[in-house]
């Protein structure tokens, strides 16, 4: 599951629209599963709190059960930006979920070696007096290594979907539908239309009416490099 908020299409009374999407591997496509309006601009800081996201995920959990014949559906992975209120809320509602933040530094390095590599780079910078880079390393340490679980932003054993582009691109697409902040009715009208187009797209692909040509992506290329690297390390 991918999660992100956008400010551009929030209605006049709103603060942001929080969107979740999922990937359907059998047809190699992304689909939107929920859109939630966080309203009252004056309470923007409160809307960013963890409790708000807990409420959103709780409602999403109820809807998943409701529209799946009361079968409990639990997302395995949540991919989002570096916002702890979102990740913490999702863990509280879905205790067994795995968090994956959008790609950052050291994403493909074996997590066992990251701190050793960080310390080595720091020592080199100290020896050669690269003070500007030392300042960056201090910022990186406080912002990422210390603040977040390194497993959340490491893709050494999981190269798929290393960014949140599935949502970022969708947010940009929605933004182009409005030349200014829409009213609630304008927003609902366009979202219903998008829902209809998305559903028709899904049905056509499932029925095999339209099959998208498989294109080799950068992710596939990186995956191949990692496999070759692991094979060299463990030839047997």
């Amino acid at each position: 599951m991918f999660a992100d908020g956008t400010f551009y299409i929030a209605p006049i009374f709103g603060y942001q629209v929080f969107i979740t999407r999922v990937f359907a591997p059998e047809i190699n496509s992304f689909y939107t599963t929920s859109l939630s309006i966080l309203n009252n601009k004056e309470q923007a800081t409160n809307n960013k709190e963890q409790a708000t996201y807990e409420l959103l995920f709780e409602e999403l959990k109820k809807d998943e059960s409701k529209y799946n014949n009361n079968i409990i559906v639990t997302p395995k992975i949540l991919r989002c930006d570096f916002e702890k209120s979102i990740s913490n809320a999702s863990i509280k509602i879905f205790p067994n979920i795995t968090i994956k933040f959008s790609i950052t530094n050291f994403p493909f390095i074996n997590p066992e070696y990251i701190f050793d590599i960080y310390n080595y780079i720091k020592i080199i910078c100290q020896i050669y007096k690269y003070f500007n880079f030392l300042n960056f390393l201090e910022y990186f340490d406080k912002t990422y290594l210390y603040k977040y679980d390194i497993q959340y932003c490491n893709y050494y054993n999981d190269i798929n979907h290393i960014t949140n582009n599935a949502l970022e691109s969708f947010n940009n697409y929605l933004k182009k539908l409005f030349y200014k902040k829409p009213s609630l009715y304008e927003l609902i009208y366009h979202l219903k239309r998008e829902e209809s187009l998305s559903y028709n797209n899904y049905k056509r692909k499932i029925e095999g009416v339209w099959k998208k040509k498989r294109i080799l992506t950068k992710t596939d290329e990186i995956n191949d490099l990692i496999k070759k690297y692991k094979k060299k390390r463990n030839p047997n």
Side-chain angles (χ1 to χ4, degrees), residues 21-229:
R21 306 193 84 197
V22 296
F23 178 67
E26 66 274 14
I27 52 176
N28 193 34
S29 299
F30 293 91
Y31 292 97
T32 304
T33 52
S34 72
L35 298 102
S36 307
I37 300 173
L38 304 184
N39 62 358
N40 199 334
K41 207 169 184 177
E42 287 71 28
Q43 295 179 0
T45 54
N46 292 331
N47 277 336
K48 299 287 280 186
E49 293 294 327
Q50 180 177 327
T52 302
Y53 293 116
E54 287 178 16
L55 177 62
L56 289 176
F57 286 125
E58 187 62 53
E59 290 301 313
L60 181 59
K61 186 177 181 180
K62 291 178 183 177
D63 286 343
E64 286 175 341
S65 175
K66 177 180 177 181
Y67 295 108
N68 284 280
N69 298 318
N70 293 321
I71 298 173
I72 298 176
V73 179
T74 303
K76 293 181 179 179
I77 301 174
L78 174 69
R79 303 181 189 273
C80 60
D81 292 332
F82 284 84
E83 192 166 341
K84 295 194 79 172
S85 55
I86 295 177
S87 57
N88 288 343
S90 66
I91 291 172
K92 186 171 181 179
I93 304 303
F94 306 108
N96 296 320
I97 200 168
T98 297
I99 304 298
K100 284 293 183 181
F101 291 126
S102 296
I103 192 169
T104 182
N105 300 282
F106 297 146
F108 307 120
I109 298 173
N110 188 327
E112 294 179 10
Y113 307 142
I114 286 179
F115 287 98
D116 291 336
I117 293 173
Y118 170 84
N119 290 328
Y120 176 77
I121 294 173
K122 188 174 182 180
I123 290 171
I124 294 297
C125 289
Q126 290 170 337
I127 293 173
Y128 291 99
K129 298 180 180 180
Y130 297 148
F131 298 118
N132 287 338
F133 202 79
L134 280 170
N135 290 334
F136 166 76
L137 287 176
E138 183 178 357
Y139 160 79
F140 181 80
D141 184 27
K142 291 180 179 179
T143 306
Y144 297 106
L145 294 184
Y146 175 75
K147 191 175 181 181
Y148 295 96
D149 186 333
I150 201 69
Q151 298 289 343
Y152 289 179
C153 48
N154 185 268
Y155 288 81
Y156 179 71
N157 287 314
D158 177 19
I159 198 64
N160 296 309
H161 310 302
I162 59 179
T163 71
N164 214 15
N165 288 347
L167 259 174
E168 296 292 343
S169 58
F170 184 63
N171 289 346
N172 288 331
Y173 166 74
L174 292 177
K175 178 184 175 183
K176 293 177 182 178
L177 297 178
F178 308 97
Y179 69 93
K180 63 178 182 179
K181 288 181 75 68
S183 68
L184 176 62
Y185 302 105
E186 288 175 315
L187 179 64
I188 291 176
Y189 172 80
H190 282 283
L191 292 183
K192 279 189 171 183
R193 181 174 179 275
E194 290 304 316
E195 180 184 24
S196 176
L197 291 173
S198 178
Y199 178 76
N200 290 336
N201 172 281
Y202 176 78
K203 290 288 288 184
R204 286 170 63 85
K205 288 186 176 182
I206 285 293
E207 294 169 0
V209 177
W210 174 56
K211 294 184 178 179
K212 191 174 181 179
K213 185 179 179 180
R214 182 77 170 91
I215 299 174
L216 188 67
T217 65
K218 290 294 181 183
T219 299
D220 296 322
E221 294 176 7
I222 294 173
N223 233 335
D224 288 339
L225 288 174
I226 290 176
K227 288 178 181 178
K228 289 177 183 178
Y229 167 73

